[in-house]
């Protein structure tokens, strides 16, 4: 009989630099007296991230949600945007704050991303864009989505909050669509505690985004548009510079964990591993399974609760679906018939602890506990 963990095991832990390195960074920033409003750390992080993500244009923000919200504003989108219900609330809330109505499209059962085959029937004369989410770091079918968008003259935006470093046929994920948002929240592979960025195709967006994240201020005498405060500060950027040095090693450790989970869980009846498809390189952001009750013998919710007794805190990302939020009740696209796959998946999906520090032995123990619970 496997016993529980002595201390709680969470789905993730932030990747953080040695305290000594952070202290030195703080000294530099405090000594400079430039602590926010696009200082040296900010510029250096932007430069290094462009290189790391292999993109030409990037703007940093205080968090991913504001990045997406202002990216949508910068593109001048309006009316309706077709998107997925299987995402974090931030995706659709960025539409809400732009007075745009989300039109929910069902998802593919394998990638859990917006299903391109279902998009076209949702397009109306009010549609201005398609907003895909690279859920759990597995890329959307960017080619089919672009083909539909081109045919109907729509913009394409991606929420790549989970997809730091993902590639498609070797191409960096931030180069697809008109605009891509990355989140650098503490729970993400690369983090600045809170933070985010946009990458985009049109170089003219640089100026607009820089205005939007800084109250629309162009100069001492000029405020050109109605913006917000969404600037990444120097402490965030400085920590980001140190965290970035750790990302490649963290990826190696996560790859190791992925192999442990795959080996141990592959043959468990009723557990389906949500994997990256061929030719895609995953961000290794989450390790996700689907608990198929009929064959696993227990429900996802039951497993989620039982794991807590062993001090394991898995997460039901994404449940409930965004289409179930009360302020969308009146929307036609929220009907269960329209979102059959999404409803099924959101009752099955479970994210297991996945971060380098966890270590192979703990991952093996988690797998043994899951098997033990199934046999109960
Ligand atoms: N789009 C998508 C698809 C997203 O997933 C997200 C964010 C966004 C947009 C918005 O990006 P940001 O505006 O956040 O940049 C967490 C994160 O707060 C959120 O950023 C993330 N997605 C989401 C998937 O996960 P919660 O409510 O689950 O967080 P919380 O506090 O329960 O943390 C989860 C676990 O992580 C904890 O049980 C323990 C661990 N943890 C967390 C924090 C904050 C730590 O060990 N240390 C920490 O400091 O949303």
């Amino acid at each position: 009989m496997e016993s529980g963990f002595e201390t709680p095991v969470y789905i993730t832990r932030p990747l953080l630099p040695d305290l000594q390195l952070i202290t030195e960074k703080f000294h530099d920033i405090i000594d400079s007296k430039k602590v926010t409003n696009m200082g040296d750390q900010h510029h250096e992080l932007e430069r290094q991230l462009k290189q790391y993500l292999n993109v030409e244009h990037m703007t940093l923000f205080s968090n991913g949600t504001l990045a997406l919200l202002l990216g949508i504003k910068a593109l001048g989108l309006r009316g309706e945007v077709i998107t997925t219900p299987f995402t974090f609330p931030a995706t659709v809330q960025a539409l809400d704050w732009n007075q745009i109505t989300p039109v929910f499209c069902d998802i593919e059962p394998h990638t859990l991303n917006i299903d391109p085959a279902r998009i076209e029937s949702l397009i109306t004369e009010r549609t201005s864009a398609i907003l895909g989410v690279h859920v759990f770091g597995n890329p959307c079918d960017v080619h089919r989505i672009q083909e539909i968008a081109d045919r109907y003259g729509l913009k394409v935006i991606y929420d790549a909050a989970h997809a730091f470093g993902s590639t498609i046929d070797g191409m960096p994920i931030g180069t697809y669509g008109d605009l891509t948002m990355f989140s650098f929240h503490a729970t993400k592979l690369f983090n600045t505690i809170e933070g985010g960025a946009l990458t985009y195709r049109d170089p003219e967006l640089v100026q607009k985004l820089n205005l939007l994240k800084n109250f629309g201020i162009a100069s001492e005498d000029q405020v050109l548009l109605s913006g917000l405060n969404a600037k990444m500060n120097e402490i965030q950027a400085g920590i980001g510079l140190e965290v970035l040095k750790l990302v490649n090693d963290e990826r190696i450790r996560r790859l190791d964990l992925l192999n442990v989970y795959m080996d141990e869980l592959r043959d468990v009846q009723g557990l389906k591993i949500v994997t990256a498809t061929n030719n895609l390189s995953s961000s290794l952001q989450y390790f996700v399974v689907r608990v198929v009750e009929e064959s696993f013998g227990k429900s996802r919710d039951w497993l989620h609760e039982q794991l807590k007794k062993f001090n394991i805190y898995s997460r039901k990302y994404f449940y409930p679906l965004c289409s179930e939020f009360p302020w969308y009740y009146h929307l036609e696209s929220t009907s269960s018939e329209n979102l059959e796959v999404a409803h099924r998946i959101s009752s099955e999906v479970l994210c297991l602890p996945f971060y380098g520090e966890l270590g192979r032995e703990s991952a093996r123990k988690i797998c043994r506990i899951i098997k033990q619970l199934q046999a109960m």
Side-chain angles (χ1 to χ4, degrees):
M1 256 328 226
E2 201 65 47
S3 58
F5 286 89
E6 272 173 29
T7 51
V9 176
Y10 297 108
I11 175 181
T12 192
R13 286 316 231 176
L15 181 61
L16 290 172
D18 192 77
L19 198 54
Q20 178 65 30
L21 291 171
I22 301 187
T23 313
E24 283 166 24
K25 198 50 114 183
F26 280 0
H27 273 292
D28 292 348
I29 296 168
I30 302 299
D31 281 350
S32 79
K33 303 258 192 276
K34 175 80 177 173
V35 291
T36 186
N37 287 15
M38 286 74 80
D40 290 348
Q41 307 290 327
H42 182 286
H43 292 306
E44 182 57 15
L45 182 65
E46 204 167 83
R47 191 188 68 77
Q48 289 194 24
L49 282 176
K50 272 191 207 172
Q51 219 166 37
Y52 191 92
L53 294 176
N54 203 356
V55 293
E56 227 176 308
H57 310 295
M58 172 184 283
T59 304
L60 298 179
F61 291 86
S62 51
N63 60 62
T65 307
L66 284 176
L68 187 59
L69 191 156
L70 292 176
I72 291 166
K73 173 112 175 146
L75 290 179
L77 302 183
R78 54 191 71 241
E80 296 172 353
V81 167
I82 298 173
T83 192
T84 170
F86 190 69
T87 183
F88 195 63
T91 313
V92 290
Q93 287 169 354
L95 295 173
D96 291 349
W97 282 83
N98 277 290
Q99 281 77 50
I100 290 171
T101 307
V103 174
F104 293 105
C105 178
D106 211 352
I107 59 173
E108 292 176 329
H110 183 51
T111 63
L112 315 191
N113 291 327
I114 192 166
D115 184 350
R118 306 287 297 271
I119 292 176
E120 223 169 327
S121 64
L122 298 169
I123 296 174
T124 69
E125 71 279 2
R126 297 192 69 223
T127 311
S128 58
I130 301 165
L131 167 50
V133 180
H134 303 303
V135 175
F136 305 137
N138 289 338
C140 293
D141 189 339
V142 290
H143 303 298
R144 277 178 78 191
I145 291 174
Q146 193 61 55
E147 189 266 315
I148 297 167
D150 288 345
R151 216 153 6 98
Y152 289 88
L154 305 175
K155 298 277 188 207
V156 178
I157 320 164
Y158 288 110
D159 176 336
H162 304 174
F164 187 84
S166 292
T167 54
I168 303 173
D169 293 327
M171 287 292 288
I173 200 148
T175 55
Y176 291 94
D178 293 280
L179 195 133
T180 297
M181 177 276 271
F182 292 90
S183 164
F184 307 147
H185 182 263
T187 54
K188 302 296 182 287
L189 171 67
F190 166 74
N191 81 89
T192 57
I193 309 281
E194 291 273 1
L198 289 176
T199 60
Y200 36 90
R201 194 180 282 167
D202 178 3
E204 295 200 352
L205 279 180
V206 178
Q207 204 200 351
K208 196 159 189 189
L209 290 169
N210 280 333
L211 285 173
L212 281 169
K213 74 176 186 185
N214 190 26
F215 318 97
I217 297 174
S219 70
E220 245 181 300
D221 319 302
Q222 264 188 321
V223 180
L224 289 184
L225 44 80
S226 183
L228 274 179
N229 181 358
K231 292 163 277 140
M232 179 182 281
N233 67 46
E234 288 292 278
I235 302 280
Q236 286 173 288
I239 289 177
L241 282 166
E242 291 303 322
V243 174
L244 193 55
K245 295 177 189 161
L246 309 175
V247 166
N248 287 346
D249 282 347
E250 174 66 10
R251 279 185 62 89
I252 293 168
R253 280 195 293 271
R254 288 188 186 198
L255 209 49
D256 209 33
L257 287 182
L258 178 72
N259 288 329
V260 170
Y261 273 133
M262 297 282 270
D263 285 350
E264 297 284 335
L265 299 180
R266 188 181 283 127
D267 296 329
V268 175
Q269 202 177 0
L271 275 196
K272 287 195 177 168
I273 296 169
V274 177
T275 53
T277 38
N278 289 340
N279 300 324
L280 307 172
S281 159
S282 166
S283 60
L284 302 170
Q285 173 62 54
Y286 291 108
F287 180 79
V288 190
V289 293
R290 282 171 53 200
V291 184
V292 182
E293 187 171 356
E294 301 77 58
S295 37
F296 185 74
K298 324 268 188 210
S299 72
R300 184 276 312 271
D301 288 350
W302 182 87
L303 181 61
H304 173 71
E305 283 307 313
Q306 292 297 315
L307 286 172
K308 288 182 190 168
K309 296 183 181 161
F310 292 82
N311 238 346
I312 302 167
Y313 294 87
S314 59
R315 293 302 286 261
K316 302 189 261 184
Y317 296 136
F318 293 103
Y319 173 86
L321 293 173
C322 292
S323 50
E324 295 177 287
F325 296 162
W327 61 97
Y328 296 140
Y329 279 172
H330 63 289
L331 298 178
E332 208 181 309
S333 68
T334 61
S335 75
S336 320
E337 305 82 71
N338 181 42
L339 304 171
E340 226 172 288
V341 181
H343 275 281
R344 176 159 46 83
I345 299 287
S346 92
S347 70
E348 293 179 345
V349 94
L350 197 65
C351 299
L352 298 178
F354 193 60
Y355 52 97
E357 216 187 304
L358 179 69
R360 299 174 124 236
E361 254 333 291
S362 297
R364 283 211 185 89
K365 185 177 164 81
I366 291 168
C367 296
R368 284 197 298 272
I369 291 170
I370 290 174
K371 290 179 202 172
Q372 183 177 304
L373 285 169
Q374 183 186 30
M376 265 174 73

